[in-house]
Amino acid sequence: MTVQNIQTSDVDRLKQAKRIVIKIGSAILTGDQPGFVRQDWLQALLKEVAVFKRNGQDVIIVSSGAIALGRRHLGLINGKLKLEEKQAAAAIGQIRLSSLYQELLAHDQIVAAQILLTLGDTEDRQRHLNARNTINNLLKFGAVPVINENDTVATAEIRFGDNDRLAARVAAMMNADVLILLSDIDGLYTSDPRKNPNATFIPIVHKITDEIENMAGKPPVGYSSGGMITKITAARIAVAAGCSMIIANGKEMWPLTKILQGGRCTWFVPTLEPKNAKKAWIAGSLKPSGQLIIDEGAVRAIHHGKSLLPAGILRVQGDFKRGDLVTIFDTQNHEIARGLSAYSKTEVELLKGHRSGDIESLLGYDGHDEIIHRDDLAIIER
Ligand code: GLU
């Protein structure tokens, strides 16, 4: 087991993070009174979010609570709900949840944006790319995206099921530096501290071993569908994408300030930085659908860390859609790089050899200046 004491450098990861995802669980949002939000707590938390925003940090919120809020209006206060009851409750609760975020964030002149996602949206490359573009644009405009699972359309098979996993997928998709899971427990223990008084607290995890996995135990009964098991799964997704993850107690007031002051929480730290992790994923894990053959100028530009523009493309092969993986070759048939194409094969055929400024007149609509943005491009090392 690789466990060490927390270091100030870990808190610095949060201070220096460019992009932070904060997941708020149902149990801490609603507290002990079913169907009602702990509004003072939420307002205080969003004040902390406003401080991050003023520091120039992007914040994305993944909020549960739609079902917990909505079930009261269906008269379903107690007991386990069937999937269709959860979906009905979520539809009623989500509209309330969104307006609450909108209202409370507006106190700090922050605009809230609602995004509802299903598992399929993060798996399918085109929808993944669309969601990522929209969220990136919202962040560019200074808004705070508030994300939840689209419970209305998610059936049992295509559900995330819990927002810990959804938050980790979002953190990976958006290249976040830190994911904070605010929960009703202050971190990971060697066993469940509610049952075992000898359970020891673990401040930092460098590697998620079987031993760590076994510490998770079974999920508790109640509103939250997560528990420690889904948090460990979330940690796996986050660290694989180069994102640090924190489990912290969100029950108390000002939980983010407490983390920044070195308060008790568990950190899961990645070995890879976010950008490298994503590039490693592009370089290694997908099956390319097409090939682009580029000229010498474009090869030089790519090696200098630039994006691939239409002007440098000589030939296009294979068949690919927007968001698919393509391989890039020079004229001597050497593989130079791999990347995610912002355009389909038909579109690249029309654009190749032309200036980015001509994109709108060639396609009839405006799009990205780059065929492959440098963030979506991985150089093949030789
Ligand atoms: N999407 C569910 C809700 O908003 C929450 C799922 C979870 O808590 O993990 O109520």
Side-chain angles (χ1 to χ4, degrees):
M1 183 171 74
T2 328
V3 167
Q4 282 170 17
N5 279 336
I6 195 146
Q7 319 237 318
T8 41
S9 60
D10 294 309
V11 173
D12 284 345
R13 282 173 195 270
L14 182 55
K15 287 190 184 145
Q16 285 154 15
K18 290 196 189 63
R19 194 164 277 184
I20 302 162
V21 177
I22 301 166
K23 185 255 169 174
I24 302 169
S26 302
I28 56 163
L29 191 80
T30 56
D32 298 332
Q33 214 185 354
F36 294 92
V37 170
R38 293 160 68 211
Q39 206 153 320
D40 291 350
W41 174 85
L42 186 61
Q43 179 71 81
L45 180 86
L46 297 178
K47 292 260 168 234
E48 296 178 300
V49 167
V51 174
F52 283 137
K53 295 289 291 173
R54 281 198 293 276
N55 288 341
Q57 295 167 292
D58 290 337
V59 179
I60 299 169
I61 293 176
V62 174
S63 181
S64 302
I67 298 169
L69 292 188
R71 60 188 295 168
R72 177 168 69 95
H73 300 275
L74 294 174
L76 299 168
I77 301 293
N78 299 310
K80 212 168 151 29
L81 302 184
K82 296 196 206 89
L83 180 59
E84 61 266 29
E85 290 170 337
K86 282 188 187 168
Q87 289 175 310
I92 292 167
Q94 184 61 37
I95 197 166
R96 288 176 162 75
L97 198 60
S98 296
S99 47
L100 194 60
Y101 277 103
Q102 183 204 353
E103 187 193 317
L104 298 184
L105 281 166
H107 292 178
D108 286 281
Q109 286 76 48
I110 296 172
V111 176
Q114 175 185 260
I115 310 263
L116 299 177
L117 293 174
T118 60
L119 184 62
D121 299 326
T122 61
E123 298 257 284
D124 177 277
R125 294 229 41 85
Q126 283 197 55
R127 281 190 280 157
H128 170 109
L129 207 68
N130 284 337
R132 201 183 66 169
N133 280 343
T134 306
I135 297 170
N136 267 328
N137 272 320
L138 288 165
L139 293 170
K140 208 161 74 193
F141 290 123
V144 169
V146 181
I147 302 180
N148 198 355
E149 177 157 24
N150 193 352
D151 288 305
T152 308
V153 297
T155 57
E157 305 76 51
I158 61 152
R159 292 199 84 213
F160 279 103
D162 62 82
N163 277 2
D164 294 329
R165 226 169 315 198
L166 169 65
R169 285 290 187 108
V170 167
M173 173 168 86
M174 298 313 299
N175 277 341
D177 306 286
V178 180
L179 162 64
I180 304 173
L181 300 184
L182 292 179
S183 163
D184 51 3
I185 186 158
D186 49 9
L188 180 67
Y189 287 79
T190 48
S191 60
D192 190 340
R194 287 166 289 207
K195 292 188 200 132
N196 181 358
N198 296 324
T200 330
F201 179 74
I202 298 175
I204 189 159
V205 177
H206 287 277
K207 196 166 190 295
I208 303 165
T209 55
D210 290 348
E211 203 182 338
I212 295 282
E213 201 100 39
N214 289 337
M215 292 172 188
K218 293 232 159 47
V221 277
Y223 290 129
S224 47
S225 39
M228 201 46 78
I229 293 179
T230 62
K231 292 184 175 47
I232 302 290
T233 310
R236 273 193 192 286
I237 299 168
V239 297
C243 175
S244 302
M245 193 187 97
I246 301 171
I247 302 174
N249 189 343
K251 282 201 147 172
E252 296 161 21
M253 292 294 276
W254 311 107
L256 304 178
T257 311
K258 288 194 175 120
I259 298 172
L260 286 168
Q261 289 168 346
R264 188 146 155 129
C265 62
T266 297
W267 278 83
F268 293 80
V269 290
T271 41
L272 288 168
E273 292 306 317
K275 221 167 179 179
N276 295 340
K278 185 181 171 203
K279 294 203 172 199
W281 173 73
I282 290 174
S285 66
L286 291 172
K287 213 169 151 275
S289 320
Q291 295 82 35
L292 303 178
I293 295 90
I294 63 170
D295 66 18
E296 270 176 40
V299 172
R300 269 199 305 278
I302 286 179
H303 280 137
H304 281 99
K306 301 260 166 51
S307 301
L308 178 64
L309 301 177
I313 298 175
L314 301 171
R315 287 200 309 281
V316 191
Q317 290 167 355
D319 190 20
F320 52 93
K321 299 187 298 295
R322 186 178 170 207
D324 281 350
L325 184 83
V326 294
T327 323
I328 300 166
F329 291 95
D330 65 10
T331 48
Q332 276 90 51
N333 213 22
H334 296 129
E335 186 176 342
I336 304 296
R338 286 178 173 212
L340 304 176
S341 177
Y343 291 96
S344 68
K345 186 204 177 177
T346 326
E347 290 167 324
V348 181
E349 284 284 13
L350 290 169
L351 299 177
K352 68 171 197 250
H354 290 278
R355 291 183 316 114
S356 299
D358 297 335
I359 290 180
E360 190 167 1
S361 60
L362 289 164
L363 296 182
Y365 46 87
D366 202 8
H368 297 272
D369 284 353
E370 311 85 12
I371 299 294
I372 302 178
H373 190 273
R374 59 172 194 269
D375 288 350
D376 293 335
L377 200 59
I379 312 267
I380 305 297
E381 309 289 346
R382 262 186 273 235

